[in-house]
Amino acid sequence: MIIVDTCGQKCPAPLIATRRALREAGSEEVIEVITDNLTSYNNLSRFLTDNYTDFSVSEEKGKWTLRITRRSETGSFTKPQDYCSTSPDTFPKGDFIIVFSSDRMGEGADELGHLLAGNFIKAVKDLDLLPEKIIFYNKGVILVSEESPVVENLKDLEKMGVELLVCATCVNYYKLEGKTTTGILSNMFVIAQAMASAGKIIRP
Amino acid sequence: MEIDLLQMVENGGCSAKISPRQLEEILKFLPLPDDPDILVNIDTHDDAGIYRVNDTLALVLTTDFFPPVCSDPYEFGQIAAANSISDVYAMGGDPVVALNIMMFPSAKLPMEAYAGILRGGYDKAAEAGVRIIGGHTIDDFPPKYGLAVVGYIHPEKIITNAGVRPDDYLVLTKPVGTGIILAGQRLGIASPDDVEEAKRQMKLLNRSAAEMMKKYKIRGATDITGFGLAGHAIKMASASGVSLNISMKQVPLIGNTYRLSEDGCIPGAAFRNLDYTTENTLFAPDLDYNLKMIACDAQTSGGLLMSVPEDRTSALLSDLHASGLADSAIIGSVSVKKQKLLYLNN
């Protein structure tokens, strides 16, 4: 165990000492950082949280001990996608849904159609009002499979509070069981209900 | 006795500002005077207030003062004066006259330090064409110094936080990192070269940058100070009803700012600014942690951040480079208002 006693030190000295210890400690080694400065304690907590480091805190007589038990190997965050502090209710929704019945957008060359579908999904993220739901059926389910180039954008939309409904029958038909990476597998009743109750349906 | 002003302070320069969130909470309860001749007030969180005298003349009024950012009194005076005058430049005005504001611990520091600070202020003001015509001193510890500045401006040529338009580019005229470098200096881990460069940047007047804004008819700008690049960007976006996109890798940095941040040399003011910006910012999922904290680093006497229409961007940029602002760079763009006011990317 490494003990970093930063009592008497002011910001950012405790953080510098902590970062050095994180770099030097073995991957399983526990680090204890002690500070007697409230601001430093707050900033250390924020720093550790932001960098996906697990720690516990105990306080005694105006001294805080931060016990760091686990950290990512590189010292940087391990799950960058979680880093967006976007709570769903901050993104306003419109009364409309989007339906993908194909993994391409429009009629014409396949390659162009794939490209357009990807661009469309990216553009949806920037709309003033987001769709309530996006529904994927028939070849549309390929968009949520692990090979799809737009999966990250769809995951972002899901995090922004957009519900992704994926036709389970279609997933089975195209042999994508276990290969869908986002969205909720749904039956035709749920899909029909979503389409029937939407103010507007957009079919790109 | 060797005078070292830095031994007297924990937070120097604009890092000593009160938290922007606290400030907003308090200001909410103060009624703003209702007068058609007040052209700019705190409503848009602008750098200075502007009061119309007649159809061709308005006054730009601003004040700023802070604790030492460096050891040498003369240099501190220069930096504090450059910082105070900068607010007039940021609004597109011409600074004219100023008053000294000084807090000085006469029992703890020799009077030559007092004289040194004032001389630095006078020399920097003179460089800007500003006449210092008086002032006020209080015996107080730690020392603090700055100016209250009055400038002239044409009422129809005001540059504000609210003048940022979608599709414009964002141009920044000075490198970022003074807060981190100064913290590193106090702890003895910043290189002398970096400290010199930070001081040179802080002393640099925003005058030529302001002249370029006038030449290219820029309508939206601010100077980057205590709330950091991200904090000031949010204030601009909010006042203008737009969203700003900033690519942190395009932002010029002073010397080893990045390495210092990587070593954990992140001052408390950066965490305070992070607190303020989080609600209105979408940090890209892959945004480098150090770049995120650098965006929140409190700057002292920072550069101007301007909103520049696309067709004028390259000409303006080459003029800025030619005028000696070699670090000037395009750091992002403006879009119509989206969910967040600021989008920070690598």
Side-chain angles (χ1 to χ4, degrees):
Chain A
M1 185 167 82
I2 298 182
I3 293 180
V4 184
D5 187 347
T6 68
C7 290
Q9 295 179 10
K10 283 174 183 166
C11 219
L15 189 53
I16 293 172
T18 306
R19 233 177 171 173
R20 191 177 301 137
L22 281 167
R23 248 198 308 268
E24 288 168 1
S27 59
E28 297 297 313
E29 204 163 354
V30 171
I31 302 169
E32 276 193 5
V33 183
I34 307 164
T35 175
D36 57 0
N37 180 301
L38 178 61
T39 304
S40 293
Y41 161 64
N42 285 334
N43 294 348
L44 284 168
S45 305
R46 177 83 204 235
F47 169 80
L48 293 172
T49 309
D50 271 3
N51 284 286
Y52 293 95
T53 309
D54 286 342
F55 64 101
S56 57
V57 182
S58 57
E59 197 239 310
E60 201 180 338
K61 293 179 190 150
K63 278 189 186 181
W64 292 265
T65 302
L66 296 93
R67 192 180 157 85
I68 302 165
T69 48
R70 190 202 63 82
R71 59 198 169 274
S72 58
E73 282 164 23
T74 55
S76 68
F77 34 85
T78 48
K79 296 184 288 178
Q81 62 272 31
D82 293 343
Y83 204 64
C84 292
S85 56
T86 54
S87 76
D89 54 286
T90 57
F91 295 95
K93 308 286 184 308
D95 183 17
F96 71 100
I97 64 173
I98 295 173
V99 173
F100 274 101
S101 56
S102 158
D103 58 341
R104 291 168 313 221
M105 185 170 174
E107 305 287 325
D110 280 1
E111 201 182 345
L112 178 64
H114 287 300
L115 186 76
L116 295 181
N119 289 347
F120 179 84
I121 288 169
K122 263 183 241 162
V124 167
K125 284 203 293 186
D126 290 334
L127 292 177
D128 282 340
L129 294 174
L130 294 178
E132 293 269 359
K133 298 176 168 75
I134 304 179
I135 297 175
F136 303 87
Y137 57 75
N138 214 316
K139 271 190 109 173
V141 298
I142 292 171
L143 289 168
V144 299
S145 71
E146 58 195 10
E147 282 104 40
S148 160
V150 294
V151 153
E152 289 309 316
N153 289 306
L154 288 172
K155 282 181 178 168
D156 287 346
L157 280 164
E158 203 169 27
K159 252 189 266 142
M160 290 157 94
V162 178
E163 204 177 320
L164 308 182
L165 298 178
V166 182
C167 161
T169 310
C170 313
V171 168
N172 294 341
Y173 183 86
Y174 288 108
K175 304 205 166 21
L176 295 170
E177 299 101 323
K179 291 181 182 164
T180 59
T181 52
T182 183
I184 307 159
L185 291 179
S186 301
N187 59 37
M188 205 38 88
F189 177 73
V190 174
I191 290 174
Q193 200 175 35
M195 289 170 81
S197 60
K200 209 165 29 176
I201 296 177
I202 294 176
R203 301 170 58 101
Chain B
M1 165 183 156
E2 182 75 21
I3 296 168
D4 184 358
L5 297 180
L6 274 188
Q7 293 311 313
M8 318 214 121
V9 286
E10 187 179 344
N11 287 317
C14 294
S15 293
K17 265 191 178 180
I18 197 165
S19 145
R21 194 199 294 268
Q22 280 177 333
L23 191 62
E24 278 179 17
E25 284 300 308
I26 293 161
L27 292 177
K28 269 200 297 215
F29 297 103
L30 291 180
L32 292 168
D34 190 15
D35 178 339
D37 286 323
I38 299 174
L39 303 181
V40 175
N41 62 22
I42 190 71
D43 226 11
T44 49
H45 299 276
D46 261 297
D47 306 295
I50 298 190
Y51 189 78
R52 179 167 48 205
V53 178
N54 57 42
D55 286 348
T56 56
L57 176 68
L59 298 178
V60 188
L61 301 136
T62 176
T63 183
D64 241 338
F65 60 97
F66 51 59
V69 289
C70 58
S71 300
D72 180 63
Y74 179 74
E75 283 188 308
F76 171 49
Q78 288 182 298
I79 292 167
N83 183 70
S84 302
I85 297 167
S86 175
D87 286 331
V88 178
Y89 289 134
M91 310 287 302
D94 297 311
V96 182
V97 289
L99 301 172
N100 283 315
I101 297 172
M102 172 83 94
M103 274 145 252
F104 189 82
S106 56
K108 290 192 175 160
L109 278 174
M111 288 316 265
E112 63 188 272
Y114 181 86
I117 295 171
L118 284 183
R119 202 160 46 81
Y122 271 84
D123 284 356
K124 189 49 72 176
E127 186 188 329
V130 173
R131 276 77 76 186
I132 294 181
I133 53 176
H136 189 76
T137 302
I138 294 249
D139 205 312
D140 188 36
F141 175 84
K144 297 159 203 87
Y145 175 66
L147 302 176
V149 189
V150 175
Y152 290 159
I153 197 166
H154 190 289
E156 279 155 22
K157 292 179 181 164
I158 299 170
I159 302 170
T160 68
N161 268 342
V164 180
R165 294 292 168 261
D167 300 329
D168 278 7
Y169 282 99
L170 296 171
V171 171
L172 178 67
T173 63
K174 281 188 193 177
V176 169
T178 63
I180 288 171
I181 303 256
L182 293 176
Q185 181 192 17
R186 267 197 299 279
L187 295 164
I189 56 171
S191 77
D193 284 354
D194 285 353
V195 173
E196 276 312 308
E197 178 60 13
K199 285 196 287 193
R200 191 180 74 80
Q201 293 292 347
M202 290 188 289
K203 285 183 217 167
L204 192 60
L205 289 172
N206 278 327
R207 182 174 52 187
S208 53
E211 277 163 13
M212 295 308 157
M213 291 207 296
K214 285 188 218 165
K215 177 174 171 190
Y216 288 93
K217 300 197 167 35
I218 302 305
R219 301 313 302 261
T222 192
D223 63 344
I224 305 302
T225 57
F227 302 140
L229 178 61
H232 288 283
I234 282 174
K235 285 175 183 287
M236 275 179 119
S238 161
S240 299
V242 297
S243 291
L244 303 190
N245 314 288
I246 293 181
S247 308
M248 284 306 297
K249 287 197 171 147
Q250 309 301 320
V251 174
L253 303 180
I254 301 172
N256 294 300
T257 298
Y258 185 91
R259 195 185 53 72
L260 283 168
S261 165
E262 174 69 24
D263 286 342
C265 184
I266 304 168
F271 284 95
R272 208 165 53 211
N273 287 336
L274 176 64
D275 234 18
Y276 169 75
T277 52
T278 299
E279 188 186 338
N280 291 310
T281 305
L282 186 67
F283 300 105
D286 58 346
L287 176 63
D288 182 308
Y289 179 77
N290 293 311
L291 293 179
K292 170 172 146 178
M293 296 313 290
I294 288 168
C296 295
D297 184 40
Q299 302 301 294
T300 299
S301 190
L304 299 184
L305 179 62
M306 320 171 183
S307 172
V308 187
E310 186 178 4
D311 56 345
R312 286 168 245 170
T313 308
S314 57
L316 169 75
L317 202 60
S318 30
D319 269 6
L320 284 170
H321 290 159
S323 80
L325 297 166
D327 294 294
S328 301
I330 299 170
I331 62 161
S333 58
V334 185
S335 65
V336 292
K337 191 175 175 195
K338 298 189 279 186
Q339 274 83 11
K340 300 281 177 175
L341 293 172
L342 175 63
Y343 291 76
L344 267 193
N345 306 294
N346 271 332

